[in-house]
Amino acid sequence: MRHPSHLRKGRGATFDPHNRFAPTFSEAEADGWWQEALADRIPTSVRDERSRTALSWNDSPDLGFDRSLNPYRGCEHGCIYCFARPSHAYWDLSPGIDFETRLIARTGLVDTLREELCKPGYVCRPINLAGNTDCYQPLEAERRTTRAILELLLECHHPVTLVTKSALILRDVDLLSALARQRLVRVFISLTTLDDDLKRTLEPRTASPAARLKTLRALSQAEVPTGALIAPVIPGLNDHEMERLLQAAKDAGARTAAWTLLRLPHEVAPLFEDWLQAYYPERAGKVMSLVRQCRGGANNDPRYGQRMRGQGVFADMLRQRFDAASRRLGLEDRAALGLDCQAFRPPNRQGDLFA
């Protein structure tokens, strides 16, 4: 077991797992030659990628949307449990440290989205902004792609939903308020823990619990419909906080809430287990045992209808606790925050002479 002092400061992953799509595998070996020690702090690098398409489509019955838009690939937040980590392998990068340090910024995204919204057969339904990685991760402060997308959606009266862990969303409260007045936006703030020490290792570059609640309160005061996403619920690690998280969210102005169980697809499982051994070795066995109890004996269950909530006695107990707390607090069903899909008008195309 490695002592935490030997781990990479400010990063979530403890190592880079092998890229499952790579045809070869290499491993560093101490051979007696001098080697430069890896710096404690690994810098973030960003490369641009021209967008050929904007919207990603899905037909999953587990999701409340059929289209999403992701301005960035990879996420500097570094959440060790992030289900999106395996997608980094598609770009010949590791789902480990690479996922949080070697980012891809999609360029030309707003123009591409404009063209897609102008297609004759386009049918308006809410776009989920950043269903894979956080659209308000630190890179957004520089690139401002998310803000440009919101400006376009406001222009054409298109509904949008957002989930974020970042206080940076308050930069765009003017646009969100304008969208809210037309019933075109719903924002969820992701809450994982109220424990600052747990947050620092579990989600190293995200906003603090207090900052997220402050963000939730500020959005609510701006009359932006808000909710809390209690996610992921990690058995044996943060599940005991469920009721307190819901209470804190309600006190901050959340109108609705949802939850998801920890998911460990592909490379996420070994990354998460290694993180547990590094930071919470005394709980590692219990946590993984409870996870497997919720996943039919495996680390992960990708089946529709099971992957978000799990199954078995412990998963059923989590579901009952969430439902009971939500009823007690008077949190609304998400359907009550429905968005207007009838006001949409296709935006002007780039280069229109008579716009």
Side-chain angles (χ1 to χ4, degrees):
M1 182 187 74
R2 291 184 299 278
H3 189 275
S5 64
H6 295 158
L7 302 176
R8 285 126 171 183
K9 294 181 180 179
R11 299 299 179 182
T14 56
F15 71 101
D16 264 332
H18 174 55
N19 182 340
R20 67 188 185 280
F21 298 117
T24 60
F25 173 74
S26 60
E27 184 174 358
E29 186 71 29
D31 57 4
W33 286 86
W34 175 86
Q35 295 178 0
E36 183 179 1
L38 180 67
D40 282 342
R41 297 193 180 275
I42 303 174
T44 300
S45 63
V46 183
R47 80 169 192 241
D48 291 343
E49 175 192 89
R50 183 70 185 178
S51 300
R52 290 179 292 182
T53 61
L55 296 174
S56 298
W57 301 81
N58 78 85
D59 58 359
S60 169
D62 297 326
L63 301 178
F65 55 88
D66 65 356
R67 67 203 71 183
S68 59
L69 197 160
N70 294 279
Y72 309 110
R73 307 195 195 280
C75 186
E76 199 174 6
H77 281 164
C79 305
I80 188 59
Y81 55 76
C82 183
F83 66 86
R85 284 182 177 272
S87 64
H88 230 45
Y90 297 134
W91 290 275
D92 200 25
L93 296 169
S94 170
I97 296 294
D98 282 354
F99 177 79
E100 47 195 284
T101 62
R102 301 176 65 181
L103 310 181
I104 300 172
R106 302 177 66 194
T107 62
L109 196 56
V110 175
D111 291 344
T112 304
L113 176 61
R114 183 182 293 273
E115 291 300 315
E116 291 182 8
L117 297 180
C118 286
K119 290 182 178 178
Y122 182 78
V123 177
C124 177
R125 292 191 183 92
I127 294 173
N128 186 63
L129 194 49
N132 207 38
T133 58
D134 200 318
C135 62
Y136 281 107
Q137 62 176 285
L139 183 57
E140 169 61 19
E142 171 193 341
R143 295 301 180 101
R144 301 175 67 87
T145 304
T146 299
R147 181 172 179 87
I149 291 168
L150 290 176
E151 289 172 339
L152 173 58
L153 297 179
L154 178 59
E155 171 194 327
C156 61
H157 310 286
H158 196 297
V160 60
T161 58
L162 301 98
V163 179
T164 185
K165 297 180 174 74
S166 176
L168 180 58
I169 191 174
L170 293 180
R171 178 201 64 188
D172 297 337
V173 70
D174 58 330
L175 297 174
L176 297 171
S177 295
L179 287 161
R181 286 193 292 271
Q182 301 178 52
R183 207 158 53 86
L184 294 173
V185 69
R186 183 175 65 222
V187 175
F188 275 78
I189 299 298
S190 179
L191 300 176
T192 312
T193 181
L194 297 175
D195 183 336
D196 286 320
D197 290 335
L198 175 58
K199 197 277 330 173
R200 273 191 286 270
T201 58
L202 188 68
E203 308 165 326
R205 297 200 174 197
T206 60
S208 69
R212 294 189 216 182
L213 292 172
K214 182 179 179 181
T215 300
L216 186 54
R217 185 173 294 106
L219 290 171
S220 299
Q221 290 173 349
E223 299 186 345
V224 177
T226 56
L229 179 60
I230 312 302
V233 175
I234 305 173
L237 194 61
N238 72 344
D239 65 283
H240 64 283
E241 296 188 70
M242 180 182 284
E243 288 82 1
R244 289 195 294 132
L245 286 166
L246 288 168
Q247 181 69 64
K250 175 67 175 181
D251 292 344
R255 294 172 54 184
T256 187
W259 73 284
T260 63
L261 185 68
L262 174 71
R263 295 167 56 194
L264 298 175
H266 300 297
E267 295 91 347
V268 183
L271 282 165
F272 181 76
E273 289 191 74
D274 199 71
W275 176 87
L276 274 176
Q277 289 294 339
Y279 291 103
Y280 295 93
E282 75 286 353
R283 298 195 210 177
K286 176 183 178 181
V287 170
M288 292 310 301
S289 174
L290 290 172
V291 167
R292 291 173 184 128
Q293 288 178 43
C294 296
R295 298 298 187 187
N299 287 335
N300 190 57
D301 184 352
R303 293 178 299 164
Y304 290 153
Q306 300 294 338
R307 57 182 183 154
M308 298 298 189
R309 299 286 188 270
Q311 58 183 324
V313 174
F314 196 87
D316 287 343
M317 181 181 67
L318 291 176
R319 186 180 301 107
Q320 292 170 24
R321 287 173 55 196
F322 178 87
D323 291 345
S326 296
R327 286 193 301 270
R328 175 175 57 81
L329 294 170
L331 292 167
E332 303 175 52
D333 187 273
R334 273 187 289 180
L337 305 184
L339 303 180
D340 183 7
C341 296
Q342 304 304 313
F344 170 71
R345 297 294 180 270
N348 296 320
R349 288 181 178 272
Q350 292 294 307
D352 279 359
L353 293 177
F354 304 104

